[in-house]
Structure formats: structure tokens, C-alpha cells
């Protein structure tokens, strides 16, 4: 009879550990998937952008709920565990969860995509940094034409400019 109770307790411990690992994995995935999908210089699909914004919108709620649930599991496990290694493992699992909860409240897209602060311009014949096969975005207003290399716009995503006497914002 006592053997059955011990086995039940051990099975409960295993389920709690598994639950803790799943909680941490879900919270990290909700935060890291958008960061992995939306990267400079990588092709972005409509599905990837949509998924990223969906996860980005829900990540603050999901990470706080995950942190609360994980802390409840840790409290339950902490009381049942006496070994240093198991308690240290609980702390190690909760630390990335705290980091994910913080990161979910940051706009990491702004870290990656900074507007070009002081754009420098060159005449077409002097633009030796643009290869013949490079794609450019071009605009012509009032007889003045400018082109923005897509390779550079892929990092900055936006440049404010004045073309033909009119302020514009070029974005990619």
C-alpha cells in the first residue's frame, strides 16, 4: 500500500516537472518566433508576418500567465523537493521565463529596424556602392528623381527625404 503511494507521488512529480518545462517552452516560443521570423535581410512571407504580429500582440498576456503558472508549479515542487540540484533546476527554468516576460514588453522590431538618421546621397554616376543588378526603389517628383537601394532599405525600412521640394517617407 505504501509503495503505491510513493509511486503516485513520483508520477505527480514527473507531471509537474513536465508541466513546468512545457510552460517555459510555450512562453519562450511566443516571444522567440516573431524575433526569428522578422529579421533584416531575410525574406518575409505574409503568413510569417501575420503570425509574428499575432504572437507579438498576445505575448505580454501569455508570458505573465506562464510566469504565474510556473511559479505555482515551482512552489508545489519546492515543497516536495529537498535536493539542491532539483531546486537549482527550478530556478534555472524560471529565469528564462522572467526574461521572456520582460522581452514581451519590448519592441525588439525597433531595435532591428532603425530609420536612417542622416541619409547621404550620391549622383547616379558616383554611386559605386550600387551594383548594376541591385534593385532600387525610385521616385520622381517635379523633375527630381531619387533611388533608394533595396539592400540598404531592407535594414532601415524607412527614410525621410525631400524630393522635388516635397517631403516624403520612403519605406520598404
Amino acid at each position: 500500500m505504501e509503495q503505491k503511494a510513493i509511486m503516485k507521488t513520483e508520477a505527480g512529480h514527473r507531471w509537474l516537472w513536465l508541466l513546468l518545462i512545457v510552460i517555459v517552452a510555450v512562453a519562450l516560443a511566443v516571444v522567440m518566433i516573431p524575433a526569428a521570423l522578422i529579421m533584416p535581410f531575410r525574406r518575409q512571407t505574409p503568413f510569417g508576418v501575420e503570425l509574428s504580429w499575432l504572437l507579438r500582440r498576445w505575448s505580454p498576456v501569455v508570458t505573465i500567465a506562464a510566469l504565474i503558472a510556473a511559479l505555482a508549479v515551482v512552489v508545489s515542487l519546492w515543497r516536495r523537493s529537498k535536493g539542491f540540484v532539483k531546486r537549482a533546476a527550478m530556478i534555472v527554468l524560471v529565469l528564462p521565463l522572467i526574461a521572456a516576460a520582460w522581452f514581451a514588453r519590448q519592441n525588439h522590431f525597433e531595435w532591428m529596424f532603425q530609420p536612417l538618421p542622416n541619409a547621404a546621397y550620391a549622383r547616379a554616376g558616383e554611386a559605386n556602392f550600387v551594383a548594376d543588378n541591385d534593385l532600387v526603389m525610385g521616385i520622381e517628383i517635379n523633375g527630381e528623381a531619387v533611388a533608394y537601394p533595396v539592400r540598404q532599405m531592407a535594414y532601415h525600412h524607412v527614410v525621410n527625404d525631400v524630393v522635388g521640394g516635397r517631403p516624403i517617407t520612403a519605406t520598404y
Side-chain angles (χ1 to χ4, degrees):
M1 190 70 165
E2 192 175 306
Q3 183 72 13
K4 251 186 183 178
I6 291 172
M7 288 175 59
K8 236 181 184 179
T9 303
E10 288 175 6
H13 276 164
R14 283 191 214 113
W15 281 109
L16 285 173
W17 276 103
L18 180 62
L19 178 61
L20 181 60
I21 291 167
V22 167
I23 290 170
V24 172
V26 166
L28 289 175
V30 165
V31 169
M32 295 182 78
I33 287 173
L37 289 176
I38 307 296
M39 295 291 286
F41 304 109
R42 283 193 35 207
R43 184 174 181 275
Q44 297 166 10
T45 65
F47 174 76
V49 172
E50 188 176 330
L51 177 63
S52 294
W53 283 109
L54 174 71
L55 293 174
R56 180 82 184 103
R57 187 170 45 250
W58 282 98
S59 64
V61 173
V62 170
T63 55
I64 284 297
L67 188 55
I68 291 168
L71 290 175
V73 171
V74 165
V75 166
S76 178
L77 282 171
W78 196 276
R79 291 178 181 162
R80 299 174 186 189
S81 301
K82 296 184 194 266
F84 170 78
V85 174
K86 288 182 180 179
R87 287 183 171 180
M90 289 179 228
I91 293 169
V92 167
L93 282 171
V94 170
L95 288 177
L97 194 51
I98 293 169
W102 173 83
F103 194 74
R105 282 146 185 81
Q106 308 304 308
N107 189 349
H108 59 278
F109 298 124
E110 286 183 6
W111 301 345
M112 292 188 291
F113 304 112
Q114 293 291 322
L116 191 56
N118 299 313
Y121 302 98
R123 297 196 176 278
E126 299 168 356
N128 57 7
F129 56 89
V130 180
D132 290 339
N133 62 347
D134 279 351
L135 295 175
V136 297
M137 296 185 314
I139 185 170
E140 189 253 330
I141 300 175
N142 297 331
E144 184 180 357
V146 295
Y148 308 99
V150 169
R151 184 172 26 92
Q152 290 175 334
M153 292 297 293
Y155 177 73
H156 296 287
H157 281 254
V158 67
V159 64
N160 296 315
D161 198 0
V162 177
V163 179
R166 292 186 52 198
I168 68 157
T169 298
T171 186
Y172 168 76

